[in-house]
Amino acid sequence: MFDTLLIANRGEIACRIAATARRMGIRTVAVYSDADADARHVQACDRAVHIGGPEPAASYLRADAILEAARRTGAQAIHPGYGFLSENAGFARACADAGLVFVGPPADAIAAMGSKSAAKTLMSGADVPLVPGYHGERQEADFLQDQARAIGYPVLIKASAGGGGKGMRIVHADAEFPAALASCQREAASSFGNAQVLIERYLLKPRHIEIQIFADTHGQCVYLFERDCSVQRRHQKVIEEAPAPGMTPERREAMGRAAVAAAQAVGYVGAGTVEFIAEPDGRFYFMEMNTRLQVEHPVTEAITGQDLVEWQLRVAAGQPLPLRQDQLRIQGHAIEARIYAENPDKDFLPSIGRLDALQWPPHVIFQTGPVRVDGGVREGDMITPHYDPMIAKLIVHGQDREQARQRMLRALGAVRCTGVQTNIAFLGRLMDDPAFAAADLDTGLIERGHDRLFPAPRASEDGTLALAAAALLHHDGLARPDGAGGAGPWQQADGWRVGGRYARTLTLRDACGERAVRLRRDGGDWTLAVDEHPAQAFRWQAEGRHPARVRIRLGGAEARGDVHRDGARLDIFADGRRQTLEWRDPLALAAAGAADEAGGLTAPMPGKILSVLVAPGEAVTRGAPLIVMEAMKMEHTIEAPHDGTVKEVFYAVGDQVTEGVTLIDLEATETA
């Protein structure tokens, strides 16, 4: 076994690898960019080497800088994690040429599976079933459209060198094909440096099931069962679970044998995942092989009791697989939820900012337990535009699927994350969705259940507003109104006034508009009224500031929660839910001038302008596409929020823009 391992990655996976290496007594070396100088993975390793600027191309994709870091630190092996250079055959070959162990498959195996088109041709020769489609080299737009017509709509355009949902488009009609192809090719070229695509028949109600395989240098290859990754948004996985619900032993064995055949066809070594698309009748087809460890590997670890990173390191060191196929067993059920800094209500647009609060339920880290958290960021860290906005992976394990699902619901409800938009509430709705609960799974579940999963905004309940009001009173220095404010009126800080009366109206904005919270103190008694609702007796206690832990009694009902305040924003965590309110402080609004910028369309995040679809003077209708931006290697379309006329366009194709800048001045159409 080597004694020093360089981890050529960042974030959660770098921390994950470092944890196993430390347990095995292996020294670790981190590499980091300018943006990651104080990152968690840097502190998790024994040594760290700076390799370049914040953009991946200037750091984590620089094979030369990583190899030099290995040479300088005396590392004998390099673990690439996932993403970045993990599936780069040239990098694997360069490691071998430099006398370094690449913790992954041979370069030839990566190359064979790196092109989806070439891999499908290879799998056809190995009798692995394939989805009908075109996987050839010709890439002329007219030719590809002819292939789509021959296959029959709907079709899926997919980047040949891609993964992670990037460079993929579903096309339902012939007229949509040219624009979808162009967009797919742009995204593929940006993300993978290769614009080549393939065309496949798009299956209706398909499930995405993948098989974890492992092979060693002694001729052994096993499969560690399956994971169901059907629940996806924008072709990216949201929830993964193992084993796949409804999987029969016969089908599991058939898929396992096909996955092993796929690996053996390319002389595979190490951890890999063979991904299949499965139809409701049980037929399954090869999609692709990921020649690396997967993001969702913890659910396989949970049901097998194995450490897959340890398996990787042992196989890379030339040792045989720790277990044979007949020694592997499934234990219980595991579910993983990917917690992202993103806004589900805005098509999962990534959210940039500081993690003001980040707290988890009781859990283990990078090891199997009832609740596990694999994360690469901490409270106070920044989510930047340079890298994937995943905050952490929340993994639960139970005796069966229902126990795991309930455990995930409770765990999600206990997470406290503020400072950025997150998908935590959406994940909770997904866990509680009837289709998910019944294991009625397919890749269209989120779209099919859109109305349930994206409910219309609801006005905040009086209890939530009361919690916020109590936190604001507490922040202003008022003691709890139970006589604990002091022995006499001059020592009390409970709203006492000459005459015994105190009145105040707080304006709080929720998703449905502004709410008036009217507070009143008469002698020792407080009341609270919301909008035009009747006043109710109000008692409250609070302690702490960040967050304020609040307990209230409003009328005959009690509530308690944590209130995190950041300026005018209040995040209230109660009953397993997070609700966000804005305090409309009249003094702050007056100081800011309450500027009205309703006519400007701003950049939702830092990025690059890919195309400008309108010109000054052009009339547009609500929902019309105006500008296409690229951010985090994904395309985002800025649409008109209302009918209007474009007065001015402030940026051109190729311009880099920062978050919040005005892109277009759109004058609303006057209505009679």
Side-chain angles (χ1 to χ4, degrees):
M1 179 63 69
F2 32 81
D3 58 43
T4 303
L5 173 71
L6 184 141
I7 303 170
N9 216 295
R10 65 176 301 280
E12 166 265 327
I13 187 56
C15 296
R16 164 73 186 91
I17 296 164
T20 289
R22 183 182 305 110
R23 182 174 57 77
M24 296 176 67
I26 301 171
R27 290 188 298 126
T28 52
V29 178
V31 293
Y32 65 92
S33 69
D34 290 344
D36 281 341
D38 298 319
R40 183 177 177 182
H41 79 275
V42 172
Q43 298 181 6
C45 293
D46 299 298
R47 293 191 60 181
V49 179
H50 175 255
I51 54 171
E55 292 290 339
S59 50
Y60 298 106
L61 291 174
R62 285 188 58 199
D64 59 335
I66 292 170
L67 292 172
E68 174 60 19
R71 186 194 64 79
R72 286 168 49 194
T73 57
Q76 299 108 7
I78 293 181
H79 196 309
Y82 46 69
F84 297 132
L85 294 171
S86 62
E87 295 182 279
N88 187 303
F91 180 63
R93 197 168 286 115
C95 288
D97 292 343
L100 296 165
V101 174
F102 178 78
V103 182
D108 289 345
I110 296 176
M113 290 296 185
S115 165
K116 289 183 175 63
S117 298
K120 287 176 185 292
T121 301
L122 187 63
M123 291 303 98
S124 179
D127 293 327
V128 178
L130 301 177
V131 177
Y134 174 73
H135 313 119
E137 296 295 320
R138 290 188 60 180
Q139 294 291 298
E140 303 94 322
D142 290 345
F143 175 80
L144 291 174
Q145 189 161 10
D146 287 341
Q147 298 302 307
R149 292 175 184 136
I151 295 165
Y153 292 101
V155 299
L156 180 66
I157 308 174
K158 186 187 302 184
S160 182
K166 298 180 178 69
M168 294 177 65
R169 299 291 185 274
I170 301 169
V171 184
H172 294 276
D174 198 55
E176 303 170 5
F177 189 89
L181 174 64
S183 177
C184 187
Q185 289 174 325
R186 280 195 306 267
E187 201 167 90
S190 173
S191 298
F192 314 113
N194 184 343
Q196 184 167 325
V197 300
L198 54 85
I199 315 291
E200 291 182 340
R201 178 165 65 91
Y202 182 69
L203 305 181
L204 300 177
K205 287 208 74 175
R207 288 175 66 179
H208 184 143
I209 297 176
E210 59 189 31
I211 305 291
Q212 175 73 62
I213 64 97
F214 240 103
D216 62 20
T217 56
H218 303 271
Q220 301 179 83
C221 186
V222 300
Y223 62 93
L224 288 86
F225 313 115
E226 78 283 351
R227 299 183 286 257
D228 193 309
C229 306
S230 300
V231 183
Q232 303 178 5
R233 92 293 191 258
R234 298 177 65 165
H235 308 298
Q236 291 183 305
K237 301 164 187 173
V238 178
I239 299 290
E240 300 100 351
E241 56 183 307
M247 177 67 74
T248 65
E250 295 78 16
R251 187 176 173 196
R252 176 176 292 124
E253 184 180 0
M255 295 184 78
R257 285 200 310 267
V260 168
Q264 291 175 330
V266 294
Y268 202 82
V269 173
T273 301
V274 182
E275 303 199 357
F276 295 97
I277 199 83
E279 296 199 78
D281 62 6
R283 288 179 296 173
F284 60 90
Y285 310 99
F286 173 85
M287 285 201 306
E288 62 183 325
M289 183 175 186
N290 290 300
T291 55
R292 53 171 168 79
L293 199 65
Q294 290 280 87
V295 177
E296 56 271 23
H297 75 272
V299 293
T300 296
E301 292 185 327
I303 66 165
T304 61
Q306 303 301 310
D307 183 330
L308 298 191
V309 173
E310 179 178 345
W311 277 44
Q312 284 188 297
L313 297 176
R314 293 196 181 283
V315 166
Q319 298 179 15
L321 291 177
L323 296 174
R324 302 186 309 271
Q325 188 70 59
D326 60 2
Q327 295 175 305
L328 291 164
R329 298 286 185 274
I330 294 176
Q331 306 164 15
H333 198 94
I335 302 175
E336 174 179 298
R338 302 187 187 191
I339 296 179
Y340 277 95
E342 63 184 13
N343 188 344
D345 294 327
K346 293 186 177 179
D347 198 23
F348 299 96
L349 186 72
S351 178
I352 308 302
R354 184 179 303 279
L355 294 167
D356 295 332
L358 184 60
Q359 300 160 16
W360 304 100
H363 64 279
V364 297
I365 301 172
F366 303 127
Q367 58 183 302
T368 296
V371 179
R372 166 178 172 175
V373 176
D374 283 13
V377 293
R378 303 151 299 189
E379 189 170 281
D381 284 353
M382 289 292 297
I383 301 296
T384 76
H386 305 297
Y387 313 114
D388 185 270
M390 188 168 72
I391 296 171
K393 302 180 310 197
L394 182 61
I395 306 103
V396 298
H397 183 236
Q399 294 179 354
D400 53 33
R401 187 175 189 268
E402 182 57 18
Q403 186 184 60
R405 188 181 71 87
Q406 292 292 339
R407 188 163 282 165
M408 178 64 80
L409 270 170
R410 291 192 297 272
L412 286 167
V415 178
R416 304 286 187 265
C417 183
T418 68
V420 295
Q421 296 283 345
T422 75
N423 64 342
I424 295 171
F426 170 76
L427 292 170
R429 294 193 296 271
L430 191 54
M431 281 291 114
D432 212 24
D433 185 73
F436 184 85
D440 181 15
L441 307 177
D442 65 82
T443 57
L445 184 149
I446 291 177
E447 183 178 354
R448 191 173 67 253
H450 186 275
D451 291 345
R452 297 191 306 270
L453 296 172
F454 298 89
R458 293 188 302 172
S460 300
E461 296 177 355
D462 288 3
T464 300
L465 297 168
L467 286 169
L472 288 171
L473 293 174
H474 176 63
H475 189 274
D476 287 349
L478 294 182
R480 64 181 186 265
D482 60 0
W490 311 115
Q491 288 77 42
Q492 290 190 26
D494 62 352
W496 183 88
R497 295 291 186 274
V498 174
R501 293 181 177 179
Y502 169 87
R504 183 178 182 183
T505 297
L506 298 171
T507 302
L508 299 172
R509 177 182 286 172
D510 64 12
C512 293
E514 292 189 352
R515 314 291 302 281
V517 180
R518 294 178 280 114
L519 297 159
R520 186 177 182 86
R521 181 185 188 276
D522 288 304
D525 298 324
W526 284 72
T527 61
L528 180 148
V530 176
D531 298 330
E532 301 306 317
H533 300 175
Q536 301 181 74
F538 178 48
R539 305 287 289 177
W540 56 274
Q541 296 178 3
E543 58 183 23
R545 290 290 182 93
H546 305 290
R549 292 176 175 84
V550 182
R551 180 177 179 178
I552 65 154
R553 184 175 182 85
L554 184 63
E558 290 191 2
R560 64 179 65 197
D562 292 346
V563 181
H564 295 253
R565 180 181 174 189
D566 182 10
R569 192 186 75 227
L570 300 167
D571 290 299
I572 300 100
F573 294 91
D575 297 325
R577 295 183 300 161
R578 168 189 173 183
Q579 297 185 70
T580 300
L581 301 172
E582 179 188 356
W583 176 34
R584 304 292 287 168
D585 179 3
L587 295 178
L589 291 174
D596 181 9
E597 299 182 6
L601 284 167
T602 60
M605 61 192 306
K608 179 181 180 181
I609 304 298
L610 292 182
S611 61
V612 178
L613 307 174
V614 292
E618 186 174 339
V620 298
T621 57
R622 183 177 182 272
L626 307 177
I627 282 180
V628 179
M629 287 181 59
E630 180 192 65
M632 293 185 173
K633 300 299 182 184
M634 298 288 282
E635 291 190 7
H636 306 276
T637 301
I638 310 299
E639 298 178 346
H642 49 69
D643 296 351
T645 301
V646 177
K647 294 184 65 177
E648 191 169 357
V649 179
F650 297 105
Y651 293 92
V653 173
D655 287 349
Q656 294 282 346
V657 298
T658 57
E659 181 179 2
V661 300
T662 300
L663 303 173
I664 286 180
D665 186 359
L666 180 65
E667 184 178 60
T669 300
E670 293 186 7
T671 57

